[in-house]
């Protein structure tokens, strides 16, 4: 694929990797109480918004409180999935030794089973980011996003299938999970039974979610049950649309690159960093927006440091950007609207055969010239002396 | 129940999926940090200074506290720099007392003992576990008892002596308390009072570092035992203190009925091994392969590499850290035994990697 970043030689790549590594070390050394407090605050917000949301839906007799309740429930589900679930399942808070925030014990409010998700996301997607045929998240098996994927007439429908996926995103995520696990089982070991076993976990989770949202809570409302069903449906829909939008902006924007399996043989850590950078794209916004995306607004930082407590990406980003500029590497970022529009441009463009697709996508910018940057720390975080004094044994 | 086969077959699991306990804990915790339906939490209602490096914490536990027997210990969990850490401490109060109390001496390099002494104040919340331990009095009280205490090893003994007092014991008790200096004596006033009130107790302080006139000094030896314990042969012995003292006591008192309790800092029970090269540990749930040296416990070596499995006591007691080992062999640090190669559950805080391993983590 064409790249708009400067081609680096071996030494440059390794030097780049070293700088990224030391950035990581520096920030990880600061992880502590501040991060624990943050995730507890998020947990609290998730619990309160859910109770308030469900309460309002339940006791609403006019549309305003019903809408408020539905929105609160959507927010709760978004927080549960993004800033809490996604990050906890990455093991970002395992060090706290708190079962509520431990990747081994956490389960989230979505039809996707957490264990399956950890396999295809933490392992497959984060290791083989944007590698065609290996990263199953790349286009989710039906979206064509690059010339490297062969065009078939069925791709003409992808704008519609994507709209459908957006509305039912959690189901896509869930069904994706067991299939990836199946596909990644060595062919010899793939039997009907394994598929069924993998599927069973998904189905179990479906049952739970359906029971909770569409039977248990509606039943509590007695004859008012249709209202509760509607509220839950809308909340799930809003959460689905939001997560779809955020997640698709992560890797499928115009300038996000894809790779082939040949390119990654014998890849070093530094090369891996570089691939994460080129394959991901960020979203600009304010702190509230960052939190609501689970800091996937900082997709690049997240892909380089998936196990770093997500809020830290905010302080990492400007420094990483400096490093990228120094090495002439394109740092893909933009407003949500701009990035999301470019995702859709790409989805539509590649639904057509190559000659049309390339025309729509247009010419790419030239290589970026490396800029000289002063090595000044762009941020400073101070810990209280007490915290510094405590070393973990 | 074709529509919901899983709910039908595993109703309990589904109920727990709905997180009733988590919800209850959350809202109870919002009301009062001491409230919970799963965790025994206690409020610190008083902090007493015993010596310059020892403090007693008086605790008011919540309704989940099940009580204890004099001489038992309890896991105490605190949060340090955002991280939960657990250590065991003996209860120094009497079971009949209105409140619980633990007495903690700062250990050199001890994370939790220092934290407790430095940072915990009145009103703070500590998380406790269930009391346990065999360092308790037998049903039929022996006629003669000898207690050997070293340093902070006095805490469970203090509780036991108080217990004897309430039981109206009428035998003979000798307490030999080895302590660095006069200033380091813990519970001095409490023992003074006890000695005034009962006839069966004699207390001897032995100073190991700073001698004082009128008191014995030195370490545990045959001479000291013979000097202060005339009827040694017929005594039941309780020993609690640092490990050199324990080893000494065990060899001096061979043949006598002994109960001993040894408190170790995590990692202290590890016989230091030096190894060449590394072994691979494959973590099957997170799909990571890491190299460890196999010199210390798996838990420590994993944490060093930024992987934090769940843990609690870190000394093989609580089983929080249990995980399935699929292949490979480990050495159990608590007894030095090497395991089989096959599948089994291991406690990673007291297991050292012997060969390449596959862990369900
Ligand atoms: S942490 Fe308690 S047994 Fe391992």
């Amino acid at each position: 694929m064409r790249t708009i970043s400067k081609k680096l030689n071996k030494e440059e790549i390794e030097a780049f990797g070293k700088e990224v590594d030391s950035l990581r070390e520096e920030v990880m050394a600061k992880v502590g109480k501040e991060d624990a407090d943050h995730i507890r605050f998020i947990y609290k917000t998730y619990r309160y918004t859910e109770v308030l949301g469900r309460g309002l839906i339940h006791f609403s007799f006019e549309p305003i409180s019903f809408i408020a309740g539905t929105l609160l429930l959507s927010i709760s589900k978004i927080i549960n999935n993004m800033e809490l679930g996604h990050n906890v399942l990455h093991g970002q808070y395992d060090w706290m030794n708190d079962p509520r925030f431990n990747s081994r014990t956490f389960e989230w409010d979505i039809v996707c089973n957490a264990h399956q998700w950890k396999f295809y996301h933490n392992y497959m997607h984060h290791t083989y980011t944007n590698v065609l045929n290996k990263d199953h998240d790349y286009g989710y098996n039906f979206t064509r996003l690059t010339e490297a994927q062969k065009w078939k007439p069925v791709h003409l429908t992808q704008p519609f299938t994507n709209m459908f996926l957006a509305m039912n995103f959690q189901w896509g995520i869930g069904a994706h999970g067991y299939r990836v696990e199946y596909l990644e089982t060595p062919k010899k070991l793939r039997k009907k039974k394994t598929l069924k076993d993998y599927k069973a976990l998904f189905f179990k989770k479906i049952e739970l979610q359906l029971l909770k949202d569409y039977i248990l809570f509606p039943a509590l409302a007695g004859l008012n049950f249709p209202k509760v069903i509607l509220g839950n449906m809308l909340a799930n829909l809003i959460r689905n649309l939001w997560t779809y939008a955020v997640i698709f902006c992560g890797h499928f924007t115009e300038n996000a690159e894809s790779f082939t399996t040949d390119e990654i043989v014998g890849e070093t850590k530094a090369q891996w960093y570089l691939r994460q950078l080129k394959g991901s794209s960020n979203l600009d916004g304010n702190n509230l927006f960052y939190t609501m995306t689970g800091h996937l607004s900082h997709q690049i930082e997240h892909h380089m440091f998936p196990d770093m407590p997500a809020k830290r990406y905010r302080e990492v980003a400007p420094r990483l950007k400096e490093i990228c500029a120094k090495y002439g590497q394109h740092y893909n970022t933009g407003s949500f609207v701009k990035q999301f529009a470019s995702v859709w441009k790409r989805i539509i463009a590649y639904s057509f055969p190559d000659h049309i697709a390339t025309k729509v996508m247009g010419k790419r910018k030239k290589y970026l010239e490396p800029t000289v940057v002063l090595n000044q720390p762009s941020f400073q975080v101070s810990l209280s002396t007490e915290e510094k004094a405590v070393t973990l044994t | 129940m074709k529509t919901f086969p899983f709910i039908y077959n595993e109703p309990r699991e589904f109920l727990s999926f709905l997180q009733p306990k988590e919800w209850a804990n959350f809202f109870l915790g919002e009301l009062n940090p001491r409230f919970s339906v799963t965790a025994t939490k206690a409020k610190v209602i008083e902090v007493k200074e015993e010596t310059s490096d020892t403090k007693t914490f008086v605790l008011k536990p919540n309704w989940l506290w099940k009580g204890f027997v004099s001489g038992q210990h309890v896991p105490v969990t605190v949060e340090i720099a955002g991280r939960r850490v657990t250590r065991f401490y003996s209860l120094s109060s009497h079971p009949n007392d209105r409140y619980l109390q633990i007495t903690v001496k700062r250990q050199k390099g001890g994370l939790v003992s220092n934290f407790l002494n430095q940072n915990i104040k009145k009103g703070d919340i500590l998380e406790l576990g269930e009391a346990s331990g065999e360092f308790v009095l037998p049903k039929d009280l022996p006629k003669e008892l000898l207690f050997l205490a070293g340093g902070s090893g006095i805490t469970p003994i203090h509780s036991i002596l108080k217990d004897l007092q309430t039981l109206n014991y009428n035998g003979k008790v000798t307490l030999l308390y080895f302590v660095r200096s006069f200033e380091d004596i813990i519970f001095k006033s409490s023992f003074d009072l006890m000695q005034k009130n009962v006839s069966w107790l004699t207390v001897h302080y032995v100073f190991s570092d700073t001698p004082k006139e009128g008191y014995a000094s030195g370490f545990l030896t045959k001479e000291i035992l013979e000097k202060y314990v005339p009827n040694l042969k017929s005594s039941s012995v309780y020993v609690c203190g640092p490990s050199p003292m324990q080893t000494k006591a065990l060899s001096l008192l061979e043949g006598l009925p002994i109960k001993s309790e040894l408190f170790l800092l995590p990692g202290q029970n590890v016989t230091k091994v030096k190894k060449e090269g590394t072994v691979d540990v494959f973590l099957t749930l997170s799909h990571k392969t890491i190299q460890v040296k196999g010199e210390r416990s798996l838990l420590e070596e994993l944490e060093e590499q930024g992987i934090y499995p769940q843990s609690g006591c870190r000394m093989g007691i609580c089983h929080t850290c249990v995980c399935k080992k699929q292949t490979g062999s480990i050495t159990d640090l608590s007894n030095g035994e090497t395991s089989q190669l096959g599948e089994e559950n291991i406690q990673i805080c007291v297991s050292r990697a012997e060969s390449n391993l596959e862990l369900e983590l």
Side-chain angles (χ1 to χ4, degrees), chain A residues 56-308:
Chain A
L56 277 174
I57 295 176
H58 208 90
F59 297 108
S60 61
F61 291 102
E62 25 73 43
I64 301 208
S65 53
F66 175 78
I67 291 170
T70 306
L71 283 178
L72 275 172
L73 186 57
S74 328
I75 290 171
S76 174
K77 280 176 182 269
I78 287 171
I79 293 175
N80 173 288
N81 288 177
M82 309 289 264
E83 184 66 5
L84 186 64
H86 172 262
N87 293 331
V88 164
L89 287 174
H90 265 290
Q92 290 175 2
Y93 299 94
D94 281 2
W95 56 272
M96 281 173 68
N97 201 12
D98 185 330
R100 290 177 301 173
F101 309 118
N102 196 286
S103 60
R104 285 183 74 192
T105 41
F106 191 87
E107 188 58 73
W108 49 1
D109 186 1
I110 180 173
V111 293
C112 178
N113 172 281
H115 264 286
Q116 290 188 331
W117 184 83
K118 277 202 290 185
F119 174 79
Y120 84 75
H121 181 87
N122 284 8
Y123 173 46
M124 294 309 295
H125 170 61
H126 273 268
T127 318
Y128 303 105
T129 313
N130 287 21
V131 175
L132 296 175
N133 297 326
K134 206 61 186 150
D135 178 0
H136 299 264
D137 282 19
Y138 200 78
Y140 294 91
N141 279 339
F142 65 86
T143 314
R144 179 175 179 263
L145 295 159
T146 156
E147 302 95 87
Q149 290 167 298
K150 214 171 150 303
W151 183 83
K152 291 188 215 123
V154 67
H155 287 132
L156 283 171
T157 64
Q158 75 183 21
F160 306 102
T161 47
N162 263 283
M163 262 188 259
F164 184 75
L165 176 69
M167 286 192 280
N168 301 284
F169 199 51
Q170 62 160 340
W171 299 91
I173 293 277
H176 187 58
Y178 76 83
R179 242 181 257 134
V180 173
E181 226 167 331
Y182 176 69
L183 290 170
E184 286 302 322
T185 326
K187 278 229 173 66
K188 265 189 281 172
L189 302 174
R190 272 192 222 164
K191 296 198 199 79
K192 270 261 158 55
K193 181 140 176 302
T194 47
L195 184 61
K196 233 182 164 177
D197 290 343
Y198 294 142
K199 219 171 169 173
L201 276 179
F202 173 47
F203 273 65
K204 204 167 164 177
K205 196 67 200 291
I206 294 179
E207 269 183 36
L208 172 81
Q209 292 296 96
L210 291 181
L211 172 86
K212 180 162 68 73
D213 284 351
Y214 300 116
I215 295 179
L216 189 67
F217 285 109
L220 289 177
L223 279 180
N224 264 330
F225 72 93
K227 184 184 69 180
V228 179
I229 291 183
L230 181 67
N232 279 297
M233 242 151 106
L234 287 174
N236 280 322
L237 176 71
I238 294 171
R239 182 266 317 266
N240 285 346
L241 290 171
W242 176 250
T243 41
Y244 170 90
V246 170
I247 287 165
F248 267 59
C249 284
H251 300 286
F252 311 145
T253 54
E254 230 177 311
N255 291 322
E257 301 172 25
S258 66
F259 309 87
T260 64
T261 33
D262 297 335
E263 280 174 89
I264 62 159
V265 256
E267 195 178 49
T268 63
K269 185 79 188 280
Q271 286 169 320
W272 180 84
Y273 276 139
L274 212 52
R275 175 157 59 84
Q276 304 305 319
L277 170 70
K278 292 178 179 175
S280 314
S281 44
N282 280 11
L283 301 170
D284 300 331
N286 58 23
N287 288 347
L288 178 65
F289 174 78
Y290 293 156
T291 308
M292 291 310 282
T293 65
H295 287 88
L296 291 178
S297 51
H298 293 70
Q299 192 72 236
I300 298 174
E301 288 75 19
H302 174 57
H303 262 266
M304 288 191 170
F305 317 117
D307 56 352
M308 177 185 287

Side-chain angles (χ1 to χ4, degrees), chain B residues 99-238:
Chain B
Y99 297 118
L100 305 173
Q101 93 187 24
I102 56 169
T103 304
V104 182
K105 183 180 157 81
R106 303 171 73 137
Q107 305 291 336
K108 219 165 141 205
L111 176 66
V112 179
S113 65
N114 278 296
F115 179 83
L116 286 170
N117 270 281
Q118 250 169 43
N119 301 45
I120 294 297
K121 26 177 216 327
K122 199 174 152 184
D124 285 350
I125 301 287
L126 300 181
E127 198 175 317
L128 306 179
E130 244 175 72
S132 64
E134 296 303 308
F135 193 73
V136 294
L137 288 171
K139 264 231 170 71
D140 300 316
L141 296 179
K143 280 254 129 356
E144 273 146 35
L145 280 162
L146 167 63
F147 291 96
L148 295 176
S152 57
I154 193 68
T155 50
I157 294 173
H158 181 251
S159 177
I160 294 177
L161 289 179
K162 282 197 146 189
D163 199 31
L164 287 171
Q165 197 176 4
T166 52
L167 290 172
N168 287 324
Y169 180 68
N170 55 9
K172 217 159 184 38
V173 175
T174 314
L175 166 63
L176 270 189
Y177 184 8
F178 294 85
V179 65
R180 257 184 273 146
S181 70
F182 186 80
E183 287 70 40
D184 286 315
I185 298 175
I186 306 173
F187 303 131
K188 174 95 172 43
S189 54
S190 180
F191 288 134
D192 287 350
L193 193 71
M194 232 187 269
Q195 266 181 303
K196 224 186 269 164
N197 289 335
V198 303
S199 54
W200 42 263
L201 178 67
T202 2
V203 182
H204 301 287
Y205 302 108
V206 187
F207 303 126
S208 54
D209 283 14
T210 335
K212 191 174 164 83
E213 220 172 296
Y215 291 91
S217 53
F219 293 96
L220 177 62
T221 55
K222 208 167 163 213
E223 291 72 50
I224 285 193
L225 272 182
E226 276 165 359
K227 183 167 163 206
Y228 291 113
V229 198
N231 35 15
L232 183 62
K233 288 272 152 335
S234 49
S235 301
S236 290
V237 191
Y238 283 77

